[in-house]
Amino acid sequence: MKSQVFTEFTLTMLPATGLFLFLLLFIAALVWVFRKDSNKFYEQLEQIPFNEDQIRDQQ
Amino acid sequence: MSKTTSNMVEVSYDNKVVKAFIQATLLWGFVAMLLGVTIALQLANFNFNFDLPWLTFGRLRPLHTNAAIFAFVGNGMFAGVYYSLQRLLKARLFNDTLSWIHFWGWQLIIVAAAVTIPFGFSQGKEYAELEWPIDIAITLIWVVFAVNFFGTIKKRREKHIYVAIWFYIATVVTVALLHVVNSISLPVSFMKSYSFFAGAQDALIQWWYGHNAVAFFLTTPILGLMYYFVPKAANRPVYSYRLSIIHFWSLVFIYIWAGPHHLLYTALPEWVQTVGMAFSVALWAPSWGGMINGLLTLRGRWDKVKTDHTLKFLATAVTFYGMSTFEGPLLSIKSINAVAHFTDWIVGHVHAGTIGWNYMLTAGMLYYLVPKLWKAELYSPKLANLQFWLATFGLVLYIVSMWVAGITQGMMWMAVSPESGNLIYPHFIETVTQIVPMYWVRAIGGILVLTSFGIMIYNFWKTIKSSNRGSEMDNEVAQVTSNMDQGTGKPKKAHQALEGLPAIFTILVFLSVIVGTIIELAPTFLASSYIEKSEDVTPYTPLELLGRDVYIKEGCYTCHSQMIRPMVNEKLRYGHPSHISESIYDHPFQWGSRRIGPDLARVGGKYPHMWHYRHMVNPREMTPGSIMPNYPWLIKNRYNLKQLQTKMKVMVSLGVPYTEEEIASAVADATSQAEEITESLVEGGIPAKIQDKEVVALIAYLQRLGTDMQFEDEDESDESINEGEGE
């Protein structure tokens, strides 16, 4: 009996836990991404692919 | 700003290995598509199987999928990752030797696949057919890749990790996890093994793997490439860096849960299916976030898209990404899945992804890289244009024909007469011949796509030939500014560099993925419903076990499912819905994913032995119009009695309850069961020497399917059937 209750409990709790964790992560990511004064930081990041400096062939 | 000068360093980027991966991409891409065209023709007309074992559909289809995913997209991804990684981090790849071990190791694995799969060496799990020694080789080479990859991050001169690299990290970590878990098996011999998992558990793990192979092999690395090559080609930064971060985390977290959408209406517990469906629908949001981000990066550049081949292919790829990530969640909705599952609609969906997204994006990337790396002008812009239109048109033919075929066949299977309550198309073959014309259309679409790829190879070959050999940049030297430590002006010590964000980040990715994985898979290890044993279900007899190995070797699962869904029409057509305990001893499970032929879960006892014998030799003799291949070699090849006892012992270690006595008498038991079957065949005029041939073992297996459990209370069990779906 007891073990059966435990199994039932786990089964419904598992996806709920997952959803909760996801929401937590999602909100954390949102807060982090839109934190104050981060504009400059992201402008810097999005430029990374263009920071090529000078390139020449190796002889 | 004198510090800047002191921060200037010279880096030599490794272009040589990137070029090697590009050439491999071209070679294997062509091979993969050629195989695709071959199997498409085989479905349009069975004669294309040529009655040769190593050319039949069941064996070539796994080779096609493995080649497309791991050989074509794999090499393309390695080329793009190695190119962009060095530039984004301002560092040469960690170690040249590792780069080349990675390159040659991967090519060897592909060759190993090409010489084993057509000869029937298969683990019988989709996209994971390769036998255990090759699986180990894949793991080793992946570790080499990971070391090279993280080593490069460690010695970087750019403090910040650009978002593309986040996507690469997710790939490196997750693919390793997926591959290792799904491939766990016990070897029987050098080239034969049985999956560690069985039945429902094996199914769930397989589709956790299968779906996430799509997610983390065909999607995340390619998105990373999109975040690098689209801005580079358009010469402007990504539309929203913030959106890319949200995109990343949502995708990584949600994708891992979506696997069970491949198993809707199966014998899996209801809640697992519901979670799979819910997360699959949720996937739509981050996927479209990524698509919008890609397309908006091109805003105001659309005039360039028309003339620039790189941009044209990239923009088309992102558009198809949007299309297939809209279709995917749609197909995960249970009521739609009821029609679409097991049909060609799914096949069309996959190709919208692999051709529309993977091929197109790879082509865009190559049009950017080849002229640059070989320092040559593109040979013919006209040919590039022709390629684009052929590929697009071919793909549209492919997708539309598969929609028509899938929906037609799905509706025909489901059609039940409201008056009589009987199936309107009781003969499965009617639903096949109806869609054969669509198989021709699909084959033509495929030929166009293959031709387009051939044109690209020719175009690049001419381009490369025109390049001045001496000027090829195998090692490209750049003067870069290191920003690793503004304070001292010196790069930080290597280990400090890894301590920062990338390490935390990698751990976070791993956690997200592992949490989803554990929650999804844990119940299969804990809950009794997965391992529910029924007194009635007993292990296969020795001969049936051998027959089952023939079934796996021939890849019958590429055309036949063994999973009757709880729907009125399926019950009418195939019998009582499959029960979870019926496949409890199936290492690996063989539920299948496509019904090119009918479900076989309860085929046992449906026909006499003689019917199967003649059907295997020539299916058209029993069912005119059948597109199943002939299997003439099954009446010539002997089954392998020598391995039988080892096989049973391995099964025992996996939890199958064979007794000592059963193992001891295995050979005798198999022989006598074979004699029994042969007797009834001899009555039909077949020579008695057939008894040690594979066909006899296969018949034994087929006749056993679905016969263990008796479902007496027919009326009561009807209630569990979803009436609504049968209409």
Side-chain angles (χ1 to χ4, degrees):
Chain A
M1 241 332 256
K2 228 195 231 160
S3 69
Q4 201 184 343
V5 171
F6 177 72
T7 322
E8 293 295 318
F9 173 79
T10 326
L11 289 187
T12 41
M13 280 310 281
L14 279 174
T17 318
L19 201 63
F20 177 73
L21 285 174
F22 169 67
L23 281 177
L24 217 65
L25 182 92
F26 189 75
I27 293 167
L30 274 184
V31 171
W32 162 258
V33 161
F34 286 101
R35 72 195 179 283
K36 261 198 186 158
D37 304 327
S38 59
N39 272 351
K40 262 234 172 76
F41 179 59
Y42 288 117
E43 274 161 27
Q44 192 188 340
L45 285 184
E46 66 190 26
Q47 285 301 329
I48 293 177
F50 303 99
N51 299 340
E52 288 228 319
D53 304 306
Q54 301 128 305
I55 289 174
R56 66 175 167 76
D57 285 3
Q58 190 174 52
Q59 295 315 311
Chain B
M1 293 299 283
S2 58
K3 262 178 197 155
T4 322
T5 8
S6 62
N7 275 350
M8 287 289 264
V9 246
E10 278 206 342
V11 207
S12 147
Y13 297 138
D14 184 356
N15 282 351
K16 206 172 172 191
V17 77
V18 176
K19 286 183 187 169
F21 275 119
I22 287 176
Q23 283 159 320
T25 309
L26 294 173
L27 169 68
W28 296 124
F30 191 82
V31 171
M33 288 173 212
L34 183 66
L35 285 164
V37 166
T38 311
I39 59 177
L41 288 170
Q42 289 174 337
L43 291 187
N45 188 318
F46 78 96
N47 281 310
F48 285 101
N49 288 287
F50 296 109
D51 287 2
L52 292 169
W54 49 275
L55 264 184
T56 40
F57 182 87
R59 297 197 191 178
L60 283 195
R61 196 267 198 176
L63 190 62
H64 163 64
T65 52
N66 278 286
I69 302 172
F70 301 109
F72 169 49
V73 180
N75 275 305
M77 151 179 131
F78 295 138
V81 167
Y82 275 170
Y83 179 87
S84 57
L85 189 71
Q86 300 186 81
R87 278 135 188 105
L88 290 170
L89 298 175
K90 296 178 178 169
R92 188 183 177 85
L93 290 175
F94 175 60
N95 181 303
D96 283 9
T97 315
L98 288 185
S99 301
W100 287 105
I101 294 178
H102 176 193
F103 176 78
W104 285 112
W106 198 254
Q107 311 316 315
L108 266 178
I109 287 166
I110 296 168
V111 172
V115 298
T116 55
I117 292 182
F119 296 97
F121 300 101
S122 166
Q123 287 186 326
K125 290 173 77 166
E126 278 182 81
Y127 327 125
E129 281 91 351
L130 296 171
E131 264 301 348
W132 67 275
I134 309 178
D135 276 343
I136 291 175
I138 294 174
T139 311
L140 293 177
I141 295 300
W142 200 262
V143 169
V144 168
F145 172 42
V147 171
N148 212 16
F149 176 84
F150 285 111
T152 313
I153 293 184
K154 197 170 162 177
K155 63 178 223 192
R156 73 189 191 275
R157 296 191 184 78
E158 168 59 56
K159 193 161 76 188
H160 299 297
I161 303 285
Y162 183 66
V163 64
I165 299 174
W166 294 25
F167 281 92
Y168 304 158
I169 292 178
T171 304
V172 175
V173 171
T174 315
V175 169
L177 178 74
L178 295 168
H179 171 70
V180 168
V181 173
N182 190 49
S183 303
I184 300 176
S185 58
L186 275 193
V188 172
S189 65
F190 177 55
M191 280 308 279
K192 174 76 195 163
S193 62
Y194 290 126
S195 170
F196 182 76
F197 312 101
Q201 200 172 58
D202 199 33
L204 197 54
I205 287 170
Q206 158 65 26
W207 287 113
W208 163 80
Y209 162 87
H211 185 73
N212 287 306
V214 172
F216 290 91
F217 208 96
L218 299 177
T219 308
T220 54
I222 315 302
L223 283 169
L225 297 179
M226 173 188 93
Y227 277 120
Y228 180 79
F229 286 101
V230 171
K232 283 301 274 185
N235 200 19
R236 66 167 358 157
V238 58
Y239 169 65
S240 165
Y241 199 90
R242 285 193 167 96
L243 181 57
S244 73
I245 297 175
I246 309 266
H247 174 206
F248 177 81
W249 283 110
S250 316
L251 207 64
V252 166
F253 199 89
I254 300 179
Y255 242 126
I256 203 89
W257 296 75
H261 69 212
H262 290 261
L263 298 165
L264 300 179
Y265 292 109
T266 62
L268 274 191
E270 189 73 22
W271 73 267
V272 180
Q273 301 185 26
T274 309
V275 171
M277 163 173 148
F279 275 89
S280 305
V281 174
L283 255 180
W284 175 73
S287 302
W288 272 43
M291 173 194 71
I292 289 168
N293 216 357
L295 288 182
L296 286 185
T297 303
L298 298 172
R299 74 197 180 286
R301 288 282 197 279
W302 286 98
D303 51 322
K304 245 186 115 186
V305 171
K306 277 184 226 143
T307 51
D308 183 309
H309 304 297
T310 299
L311 283 178
K312 196 188 300 179
F313 277 105
L314 292 179
T316 311
V318 177
T319 310
F320 273 109
Y321 174 65
M323 189 209 120
S324 45
T325 55
F326 177 74
E327 193 180 37
L330 200 72
L331 288 168
S332 307
I333 297 170
K334 279 183 98 173
S335 51
I336 296 177
N337 192 271
V339 186
H341 193 49
F342 292 132
T343 76
D344 284 311
W345 190 350
I346 309 297
V347 180
H349 169 61
V350 174
H351 287 82
T354 44
I355 301 174
W357 164 239
N358 294 116
Y359 167 1
M360 296 285 184
L361 197 126
T362 306
M365 179 181 93
L366 293 180
Y367 275 109
Y368 177 87
L369 288 179
V370 168
K372 234 186 181 61
L373 292 178
W374 274 274
K375 273 189 134 186
E377 191 115 337
L378 180 66
Y379 168 68
S380 166
K382 270 201 185 133
L383 282 180
N385 207 28
L386 178 66
Q387 176 202 355
F388 175 79
W389 288 111
L390 279 181
T392 307
F393 186 61
L395 175 57
V396 169
L397 278 187
Y398 196 117
I399 295 175
V400 173
S401 62
M402 291 297 97
W403 273 336
V404 175
I407 294 170
T408 306
Q409 196 176 31
M411 299 307 274
M412 286 176 88
W413 290 342
M414 287 194 142
V416 176
S417 155
E419 293 96 53
S420 65
N422 291 332
L423 291 171
I424 296 179
Y425 305 100
H427 302 294
F428 188 91
I429 189 67
E430 294 173 88
T431 76
V432 177
T433 45
Q434 184 72 26
I435 62 171
V436 165
M438 288 299 120
Y439 284 157
W440 281 110
V441 176
R442 185 254 305 267
I444 292 167
I447 289 170
L448 293 181
V449 174
L450 174 70
T451 311
S452 77
F453 200 84
I455 290 174
M456 177 168 73
I457 294 176
Y458 176 74
N459 210 354
F460 285 155
W461 179 63
K462 289 296 242 184
T463 307
I464 292 171
K465 253 184 69 173
S466 77
S467 94
N468 191 343
R469 288 227 168 245
S471 73
E472 286 174 19
M473 296 194 291
D474 279 348
N475 294 296
E476 180 180 314
V477 177
Q479 302 270 349
V480 300
T481 337
S482 171
N483 67 357
M484 279 309 282
D485 195 318
Q486 277 92 350
T488 61
K490 280 181 208 148
K492 272 189 183 176
K493 287 218 180 74
H495 70 272
Q496 284 173 309
L498 194 67
E499 273 166 11
L501 201 57
I504 297 173
F505 181 81
T506 307
I507 291 166
L508 272 179
V509 168
F510 186 71
L511 281 180
S512 312
V513 170
I514 204 82
V515 164
T517 300
I518 288 174
I519 295 177
E520 191 182 317
L521 300 183
T524 72
F525 296 93
L526 300 173
S528 54
S529 58
Y530 281 87
I531 41 171
E532 195 177 306
K533 291 213 164 95
S534 157
E535 298 279 294
D536 303 330
V537 179
T538 52
Y540 296 107
T541 67
L543 188 67
E544 289 158 8
L545 187 64
L546 293 174
R548 188 166 197 276
D549 284 339
V550 174
Y551 188 91
I552 292 171
K553 180 169 94 180
E554 297 302 343
C556 307
Y557 65 90
T558 60
C559 282
H560 290 287
S561 61
Q562 289 188 20
M563 172 49 59
I564 305 169
R565 297 179 293 173
M567 295 173 195
V568 171
N569 67 85
E570 301 224 345
K571 188 171 180 211
L572 288 171
R573 192 181 296 279
Y574 302 121
H576 196 277
S578 293
H579 193 273
I580 197 163
S581 48
E582 285 178 286
S583 42
I584 200 82
Y585 300 127
D586 283 6
H587 295 269
F589 81 116
Q590 290 289 290
W591 292 2
S593 65
R594 172 75 182 95
R595 286 178 184 155
I596 293 167
D599 189 277
L600 297 180
R602 300 208 186 286
V603 79
K606 183 175 173 186
Y607 302 108
H609 297 330
M610 194 59 197
W611 188 94
H612 284 297
Y613 180 91
R614 292 170 60 190
H615 184 254
M616 292 313 299
V617 175
N618 177 5
R620 278 142 296 278
E621 198 186 322
M622 310 317 290
T623 315
S626 176
I627 58 170
M628 179 163 146
N630 298 331
Y631 287 93
W633 58 92
L634 294 184
I635 60 169
K636 292 198 195 91
N637 297 348
R638 284 198 204 116
Y639 49 79
N640 185 343
L641 277 176
K642 273 191 222 129
Q643 261 183 17
L644 179 56
Q645 280 165 323
T646 323
K647 282 181 173 173
M648 290 173 79
K649 281 180 198 152
V650 170
M651 284 293 183
V652 170
S653 348
L654 293 171
V656 180
Y658 288 119
T659 60
E660 296 274 326
E661 300 84 70
E662 279 171 329
I663 296 178
S665 65
V667 173
D669 289 351
T671 316
S672 77
Q673 193 183 0
E675 270 161 14
E676 246 172 71
I677 294 172
T678 310
E679 246 169 63
S680 88
L681 292 177
V682 169
E683 278 167 31
I686 308 297
K689 60 177 194 288
I690 200 77
Q691 60 170 301
D692 58 351
K693 302 300 188 292
E694 282 181 326
V695 70
V696 174
L698 184 61
I699 291 174
Y701 171 65
L702 291 172
Q703 296 290 30
R704 171 68 183 273
L705 286 176
T707 56
D708 275 6
M709 287 177 86
Q710 302 304 321
F711 300 92
E712 297 148 29
D713 211 348
E714 288 288 330
D715 292 329
E716 199 183 293
S717 60
D718 263 359
E719 277 165 30
S720 66
I721 293 179
N722 193 338
E723 303 272 348
E725 307 302 342
E727 329 232 297

